Amino acid sequence: MSSGAQAGLDAAYLSHGGRYSYASSDSLEKKGGRDVPIALTRSHGDGADGESFDAVPQEKRTIVVASIFATPSSILASAGSVGLALFMWVIGAVIATAGLAVYVEFGTGLPRSGGELTYLSYIFTRPRYLAVAMFAAYAVTMPWPAGNSVVCGEYILLAAGVEPTQWNQRGIGIACVTFALIMHGAFLKWGLRLQNALGIFKIAILLLISISGWAALAGHIKLPEDQKPHNFDNAFAGTSSNANAFVNGLYNVIWSFIGYSNVNYALSEVKNPVRTLKIAGPLAIGSVSIVYMLVNVAYFAAVPKADILTSGQTVAALYFENMFGQSASKALSVFVALSALGNVMAVLFSQGRINQELGRMGVLPFSRFWASNKPFNAPLAGLALQWLMCVIIICAPPPGDAYDLILNMVSYPLAIINSFISGGLLLLGYTPLGARLSFVWSPPFRASFPVVAFFFLSNLFLMFAPLVPPAPGQSPYVSLPYWLHVVIGAGIFVVGAIYWVFWAKVLPMVGRYRLVKQEEVQYDGVPRDVFVRVPVDAKH
């Protein structure tokens, strides 16, 4: 690996001896003011399939991934009708499948950790480091695991027969994310084993609901005959036509599928990453889509529409009670809580790795600290930063709005990021513009122009539709303005841009130095990028 690499493209690589290495500034051409790699090719030796892209030692590639959790109550509230709610799940599955194809193309073309961070830095090289700084602001502030931490607390309280309040639910939620921090930060292998076990356990729960849903459709429900639901009669009655409500429903659906990109955040540690993405990704998204549809049909077959609308995040508990009785409902609520814990562990792990990757790139202050795996050979610092943001956002929102605000705070900025990622890929990888800018792109998997374009347009819709005022009674929040998550999401990127101005422009100008990115190899064999201050009159 070249130890004196100056960044023009954050992921410009040259094949060497069957392995990829960062390209030094001498290996870059200038075309139209843009640094581009002279070549991005695979040699005939090891790594011809892209599995050794970033020279991470093979013994460090040990990760598998887990799944996610969803709540259909807010989706039904946004849709207004059972028919549209089910159709939203179909739309969400199609968008998620297109997103999976885009992420598989990026993951097979750039099989290293970082996810969107790696892809943005590869595509948007001008102004230099701006995209990375803006993404860094998003990554370090988004409380990804917070939502399911709250859900975990609510289901534990239901199982214990304790009335959920503002603070006992939040207290258990904080304990949940703290447990995940300890497991992944101090007991990495055991944390991954538990995370994967809980992921498998959740699949078993969903299969139980899916299968028992057939009995619900046949009318075998523990409810009096006059109280049994008839949700599929005139299924589209009450359908909402408001764009804001529709998007908020889609946010909930897409959030349920968002696990398709989890593995991209830690590809440096996945054995055979290209093969894993190409096989496991489509298999997972297909099976999950079918199971989620069956679960929703089961809910509507067993629980009256009015009860679903008032259930919040506890519709599964109502389903269990109507199908198996109150005692079984309490026991199965524990299982749902454990499933939510599994999601918290999976998401905290992924986001901790993103914070670590930002440290490796040298974007964050004290980058060596964030990039470290000390003291337990795990990204404890990156995990702790994500934990802190979760604790803050769990405690901050008013009662009744916490879960929805958390979900929308994360989903809206992600739609912005996905728009730029897919739009950039569309222009550079599928149009003549890429060739004119010498954008070298030949991944083992291509998503195709229509798929990338559909994902791009879908995310544009998710970006702009929330600006439409909601119809009366359809605001996404109880006591907060409907546009709050839009302002927060856009504001985070503005903060990242301001940080970039001072970090990459003002301070170097005042201090008469320039930022030069060099590469060093950590004690565990993993490479990281370091920004070095070089005096303007010094030769590099």
Side-chain angles (χ1 to χ4, degrees):
M1 304 284 285
S2 171
S3 61
Q6 178 178 2
L9 279 169
D10 286 313
Y13 299 93
L14 297 175
S15 62
H16 176 69
R19 303 188 62 129
Y20 283 98
S21 63
Y22 281 86
S24 69
S25 57
D26 295 334
S27 302
L28 297 173
E29 293 185 50
K30 290 281 188 179
K31 293 193 178 181
R34 176 186 177 91
D35 291 333
V36 295
I38 297 174
L40 181 57
T41 60
R42 290 182 175 84
S43 70
H44 297 291
D46 295 337
D49 57 356
E51 304 291 5
S52 301
F53 187 87
D54 63 349
V56 172
Q58 286 297 317
E59 63 271 14
K60 301 296 292 183
R61 303 177 183 268
T62 57
I63 294 177
V64 293
V65 295
S67 56
I68 57 173
F69 187 82
T71 173
S73 176
S74 56
I75 297 171
L76 178 59
S78 298
S81 70
V82 172
L84 183 58
L86 290 174
F87 189 60
M88 279 185 178
W89 283 95
V90 175
I91 296 173
V94 173
I95 293 175
T97 302
L100 172 68
V102 170
Y103 275 80
V104 170
E105 176 167 346
F106 271 118
T108 56
L110 300 171
R112 65 174 305 197
S113 294
E116 297 94 344
L117 168 64
T118 299
Y119 314 144
L120 287 169
S121 62
Y122 185 74
I123 293 176
F124 299 102
T125 61
R126 292 292 184 271
R128 185 171 291 185
Y129 313 135
L130 174 60
V132 177
M134 295 177 71
F135 180 85
Y138 160 77
V140 301
T141 55
M142 287 296 99
W144 283 80
N148 278 291
S149 297
V150 173
V151 171
C152 181
E154 189 166 359
Y155 271 95
I156 287 178
L157 291 170
L158 283 174
V162 177
E163 181 70 22
T165 65
Q166 177 181 357
W167 292 110
N168 62 11
Q169 180 180 352
R170 295 181 181 189
I172 296 177
I174 292 173
C176 174
V177 73
T178 302
F179 173 79
L181 170 68
I182 294 171
M183 292 301 298
H184 281 322
F187 307 99
L188 179 59
K189 288 187 176 180
W190 283 104
L192 289 174
R193 289 168 183 167
L194 177 60
Q195 170 185 309
N196 293 327
L198 292 174
I200 296 172
F201 185 68
K202 176 196 169 179
I203 293 174
I205 297 290
L206 292 176
L207 289 175
L208 171 63
I209 298 175
S210 302
I211 295 171
S212 61
W214 293 102
L217 286 171
H220 301 295
I221 308 170
K222 294 183 179 295
L223 286 176
E225 194 65 33
D226 60 342
Q227 295 181 19
K228 289 184 178 181
H230 300 281
N231 292 325
F232 299 110
D233 297 341
N234 196 13
F236 285 91
T239 295
S240 170
S241 59
N242 183 261
N244 189 293
F246 185 79
V247 165
N248 281 300
L250 274 183
Y251 281 162
N252 281 269
V253 173
I254 294 172
W255 175 264
S256 304
F257 289 100
I258 208 68
Y260 66 75
S261 64
N262 277 359
V263 71
N264 292 65
Y265 299 140
L267 276 178
S268 293
E269 300 175 59
V270 177
K271 291 181 179 179
N272 304 319
V274 171
R275 182 174 180 272
T276 297
L277 284 174
K278 291 171 70 174
I279 297 176
L283 180 63
I285 202 75
S287 58
V288 167
S289 298
I290 294 172
V291 170
Y292 277 179
M293 283 300 298
L294 291 175
V295 166
N296 277 276
V297 169
Y299 286 152
F300 290 127
V303 184
K305 179 180 176 180
D307 291 345
I308 294 177
L309 289 171
T310 58
S311 65
Q313 286 78 55
T314 61
V315 63
L318 287 177
Y319 176 83
F320 293 143
E321 182 174 350
N322 290 355
M323 291 298 298
F324 307 111
Q326 190 170 14
S327 298
S329 174
K330 289 185 177 182
L332 291 171
S333 291
V334 175
F335 300 157
V336 176
L338 292 175
S339 297
L341 174 61
N343 173 259
V344 170
M345 295 186 69
V347 175
L348 182 73
F349 180 85
S350 297
Q351 294 306 117
R353 292 288 171 163
I354 290 180
N355 291 339
Q356 184 184 52
E357 192 72 10
L358 287 168
R360 287 177 181 168
M361 294 185 71
V363 179
L364 301 180
F366 314 108
S367 59
R368 187 183 299 272
F369 173 73
W370 303 113
S372 174
N373 274 333
K374 296 179 180 179
F376 302 111
N377 197 32
L380 181 60
L383 293 167
L385 180 58
Q386 182 68 195
W387 171 87
L388 178 62
M389 298 309 302
C390 287
V391 171
I392 292 174
I393 201 63
I394 286 174
C395 296
D401 285 329
Y403 183 80
D404 290 328
L405 179 60
I406 292 168
L407 188 148
N408 291 335
M409 274 181 58
V410 175
S411 298
Y412 185 78
L414 185 59
I416 297 176
I417 290 172
N418 281 335
S419 296
F420 277 94
I421 287 176
S422 54
L425 179 61
L426 199 64
L427 288 176
L428 298 179
Y430 289 88
T431 67
L433 178 62
R436 287 199 296 268
L437 295 177
S438 297
F439 183 77
V440 182
W441 187 245
S442 56
F445 174 87
R446 299 301 297 268
S448 80
F449 179 88
V451 171
V452 179
F454 171 76
F455 189 61
F456 171 64
L457 294 174
S458 299
N459 280 282
L460 282 184
F461 175 74
L462 293 172
M463 277 178 56
F464 292 109
L467 300 176
V468 178
Q474 289 192 317
S475 175
Y477 308 116
V478 176
S479 56
L480 298 174
Y482 74 91
W483 41 259
L484 182 60
H485 59 280
V486 176
V487 173
I488 293 175
I492 287 170
F493 291 117
V494 171
V495 169
I498 294 173
Y499 172 74
W500 171 80
V501 169
F502 283 92
W503 168 64
K505 297 295 181 181
V506 175
L507 293 180
M509 181 178 63
V510 173
R512 295 187 57 78
Y513 64 84
R514 58 191 175 95
L515 290 175
V516 176
K517 189 165 70 172
Q518 298 179 346
E519 187 175 276
E520 69 177 31
V521 177
Q522 295 187 136
Y523 67 93
D524 56 2
V526 178
R528 67 184 286 265
D529 297 327
V530 180
F531 286 97
V532 178
R533 296 180 180 182
V534 178
V536 292
D537 57 348
K539 293 183 179 181
H540 178 62

